[in-house]
Amino acid sequence: MKVPVSWLSEIVDLPAGITVEQLDAAFVRLGFEVEEIVRPPATTGPLVVGRVLEIEELTGFKKPIRYCQVEVGESEPRGIVCGARNFAVGDLVVAALPGAVLPGDFAIAARKTYDHVSDGMICSVRELGIGEDHAGILVLGQEGFEPGTPAADVLGLEDVVFDLEVTPDRGYAMSMRGIARDLAGVLGVSWRDPADLPLPEWSGAPAWQVSVADPDRCDRFSMLALEDLGPAAPSPWALRQRLAQCGIRSISLAVDVTNYVMLELGQPMHAFDRDTVRGPITVRRAAAGERLTTLDGADRALTEDDLLITDESGPIGMAGVMGGASTEIGDGTTAVLLEAAHWEQTGISRGVRRHRLPSEAGKRFERGTDPEVTVVALARAAGLLVEHGGARVVGAPVDVDTRGPRPVIAMDAALPGRVAGVAYTREQVVEVLAAVGAEVVGEGAAIRVTPPSWRADLLEPADLVEEVVRFRGFDEIPSILPTAPPGRGLTERQRRRRSIGRALADAGYVEAPAFPFTGAPQLDALGLPEDDDRRRVNTVRNPLSEEAPALRTTLLPGLLASLGRNLARGLRDVALFEHGAVFPGGERSAAPLPGVDRRPDDATLAALLGAVPAQPWHVAVAITGQREPRGWWGPGRPAEWADAVQAARVVAQAAGAELTVRAGERAPWHPGRCAELLVDGTVVGYAGELHPKVCENLGLPPRTSVMELDADALPAPAVPQAPPISTFPPVLIDLAVVVRDEVPAAEVAAALREGAGELLESLRLFDVYTGAPVPSGSRSLAYALTLRAPDRTLTGEEATAVRDAALAAATAATGAQLRA
């Protein structure tokens, strides 16, 4: 919200001599972040208002040139050469005379050009440093200023503009009225409410019929008709100046007036071309299949959540978001319908995001507006159109008002002091609440507060406490830090998660965290069946994107999207990982809303926790391209499904768990190249190659491999015990066995360990072979065994006995045969 100090001073009796720095401090004290202080442009020398007396069209040049006689308050007019075409004889303009220096160190002097001496310059908005418009010169109109009047006051070149950041809960502050009220309260000065206007004596019946079919989304709708508006009537300079200072472009008188009233009172309005409106107005929700062409020319498909303003022809505006092109104010509009309404905030917010139509009106409606000022805003806008456009009001306004009573909040007057740790008196609390605009009744400490109509955010005693503390000053709160208790370090779960992340990073993977949201298109791209548990999602009420409105149930959509973005940027060998929470869906109880005045009891806490979805911690990797780069040492090696399985082993080892791998089948993995990951017989994840159709859907290279497992399902490791260290030499033995293809290598390894007994120090699979002379349907697994005794050097006979026992155990458990 941009706040010109000159406009503010017309509403608030600012203390004499108050500085820009003091105003800055006052805004900060009120909780407004001052993003920028726009100071006046550097302009010196004679800059005056001039009146164009004569215009001579010069010919013989490549572009149209005018030689103008301009009255500047001197005995003789000045002759000035100008190339602009947007002014006429009698217009008031801004003339920079010789000796003036404009922004950008642009010095003005008399000089000969186009065969004439130009004794100054007629200025545009950009040349004056007060805007970006350079299509023509600045025309001030034809009345209101005397030639020779210093232009600095007329243009507001001495004015300072504060650019304030307004938080979403304080919609009232998106207006000069709201800012002035707060500032007057904190400075302790008087102010004049711009909405405190005497309403005209309306005559006649309303000129239009209006009905509201959804009062929950629109509890007040007001409309007023005008006619005989001068279609060419210009907006006065003072109005255009205020709009420009607040960052709004001037369009036409009718549109400019509605924008001006919005900035002044905080009530967005819309002007319809009355001659294009067909029949009665109805406010209703959109029907399935309806469409609306909005003012920006876009043909928009509407949903049943969209609230519309309609006539007999159909939708003519999207309520609180944007008007329709069919009833747009045009250059020839002479009859106008002005609309001002109070819309339900969240519906407007959803519409703005759904249709991607942010606007100044939408910013105010989604933060909340004052329902009391709809008719006042109509009267204010109508008065300006009558004054500057010659319009005439037709009949009385329509005012459909279905509002209920305002809530009453019971509060202990001592509550703000207890919360803030400051001894506020009852009188101070009541004084602040009255300055906010609330009505306070009650005796003693028990008070009853009725919030003002413009503060829909005041719902609970805690909200009133915040207002008291804000007005009294946050700097009054003592900043006494409590003694921090000694830390206990990381929990076991935190250490495990960090260990997993470090282990994957050490293995060559790069962490790529993604947003924890997903949607049906992402799950469809993975080819998940309709009955898959991962399709049962928790939907967010106000999602960042309509395409991803739910919390993720798997890490794969975000991780594969990151993989695709890296490939699109030219990378070819990519290995990414992510670890984070997923949120499985399911039936849950509704969460209670505890108060803030006391600690929730155990039952409330249990209900709150019961309403929170489970959030298991998953780990996933995605890999494509070359796993080992090529170079002088060799041709390299492409990434394959076995690398995804190995990543799972890295995770399990970092977590201190023993992982078993066997063939499996689950979307989105390739049915024949998918491995189940088990711990103690329980499936904790899957790894392998993506299904070719999934790679095609996501635009990924064929044979892209992924792994995902539930890290919380890995059992907590026992306290590690250091193994005894033997000083005796080891015995190294290789053992190759032949097993059927369907026998997991992990089962063979387990049988070998069990058969070898205590003398086995380590066991490692170092080769897998298929082909002759191994029979078809079987494969050869070669293991390296390290044997060692703690108290002696093993003999050859002892080593052979251990090998034979291991082979016998593997044969009994898996049918393994010694490879010849």
Side-chain angles (χ1 to χ4, degrees), residues 31 51 122 129 184 321 359 523 623 631 640 703 707 746:
R51 185 185 298 277
I122 303 175
V321 180
S359 65
L523 300 178
I623 185 170
E640 57 184 7
R703 298 190 179 279
M707 177 277 294

Side-chain angles (χ1 to χ4, degrees), residues 338-661:
L338 291 179
E339 168 262 310
H342 181 252
W343 311 107
E344 188 266 331
Q345 299 169 229
T346 59
I348 298 298
S349 181
R350 292 194 300 272
V352 167
R353 285 156 179 76
R354 180 165 51 248
H355 295 284
R356 296 181 176 86
L357 281 175
S359 65
E360 291 296 322
K363 289 179 184 177
R364 287 160 175 82
F365 280 131
E366 66 184 359
R367 285 169 166 84
T369 58
D370 183 2
E372 289 287 348
V373 300
T374 57
V375 175
V376 174
L378 291 178
R380 175 68 166 138
L384 291 172
L385 291 176
V386 170
E387 178 183 358
H388 301 293
R392 180 174 61 86
V393 176
V394 181
V398 179
D399 187 21
V400 181
D401 190 350
T402 60
R403 290 175 296 155
R406 282 180 281 165
V408 178
I409 304 173
M411 186 183 77
D412 183 353
L415 180 60
R418 292 200 302 269
V419 171
V422 180
Y424 300 126
T425 65
R426 182 186 186 278
E427 290 70 24
Q428 289 174 328
V429 172
V430 172
E431 178 185 5
V432 168
L433 295 178
V436 170
E439 299 174 6
V440 183
V441 297
E443 299 294 333
I447 59 175
R448 295 174 61 80
V449 182
T450 303
S453 56
W454 56 84
R455 293 301 302 271
D457 59 305
L458 302 181
L459 302 174
E460 299 181 354
D463 301 323
L464 303 179
V465 169
E466 180 183 358
E467 292 302 300
V468 172
V469 175
R470 184 169 65 91
F471 264 79
R472 294 298 302 177
F474 292 107
D475 53 344
E476 289 189 4
I477 301 176
S479 55
I480 302 174
L481 295 177
T483 302
R488 299 181 179 178
L490 299 177
T491 65
E492 180 61 37
R493 176 173 293 184
Q494 290 171 328
R495 285 196 294 270
R496 170 186 282 198
R497 291 174 179 176
R498 293 193 180 188
S499 297
I500 290 173
R502 284 195 299 267
L504 287 173
D506 291 343
Y509 292 86
V510 177
E511 186 172 6
F515 279 119
F517 304 108
T518 191
Q522 293 90 325
L523 300 178
D524 292 341
L526 294 180
L528 303 187
E530 290 299 325
D531 59 349
D532 195 295
D533 287 343
R534 289 167 290 179
R535 285 189 177 271
R536 301 178 62 189
V537 295
N538 298 289
T539 303
V540 180
R541 286 190 175 181
N542 189 20
L544 294 176
S545 168
E546 293 292 337
E547 298 177 355
L551 293 171
R552 66 189 179 189
T553 55
T554 169
L555 299 181
L556 294 183
L559 188 63
L560 294 176
S562 298
L563 184 69
R565 280 192 294 272
N566 280 275
L567 293 171
R569 283 162 173 77
L571 298 179
R572 289 295 174 263
D573 308 324
V574 186
L576 304 178
F577 82 93
E578 180 180 5
H579 56 146
V582 298
F583 310 87
E587 297 295 330
R588 298 186 315 279
S589 59
L593 183 62
V596 297
D597 55 340
R598 64 180 62 87
R599 182 186 184 277
D601 57 28
D602 292 342
T604 302
L605 289 174
L608 285 170
L609 294 175
V612 176
Q615 301 174 49
W617 195 266
H618 279 206
V619 182
V621 304
I623 185 170
T624 189
Q626 293 291 111
R627 183 56 175 150
E628 296 175 1
R630 65 181 181 179
W632 58 265
W633 52 84
R637 181 179 68 83
E640 57 184 7
W641 65 268
D643 293 300
V645 175
Q646 180 57 29
R649 296 188 186 278
V650 169
V651 170
Q653 182 178 5
E658 185 73 26
L659 196 67
T660 302
V661 179

Side-chain angles (χ1 to χ4, degrees), residues 684-749:
V684 297
Y686 293 84
E689 187 178 298
L690 281 178
H691 194 285
K693 186 64 175 178
V694 175
C695 293
E696 180 183 343
N697 293 341
L698 299 176
L700 299 176
R703 298 190 179 279
T704 296
S705 298
V706 297
M707 177 277 294
E708 182 176 15
L709 62 79
D710 182 356
D712 283 351
L714 301 178
V719 177
Q721 299 290 332
I725 299 176
S726 174
T727 59
F728 294 92
V731 176
L732 306 179
I733 297 178
D734 292 343
L735 177 62
V737 296
V738 177
V739 296
R740 299 291 300 173
D741 286 343
E742 61 269 15
V743 177
E747 291 185 9
V748 178

Side-chain angles (χ1 to χ4, degrees), residues 92 138-145 154-155 229-230 232-244 248 250-258 260 380-381 383-390:
L92 293 171
L138 172 60
V139 178
L140 302 177
Q142 293 195 343
E143 301 293 339
F145 307 105
V154 175
L155 300 176
L229 174 68
S235 299
W237 164 247
L239 190 147
R240 286 184 286 142
Q241 178 196 17
R242 289 278 165 82
L243 293 180
I248 295 180
S250 175
I251 299 175
S252 65
L253 178 60
V255 176
D256 290 352
V257 163
T258 59
Y260 181 84
R380 175 68 166 138
L384 291 172
L385 291 176
V386 170
E387 178 183 358
H388 301 293

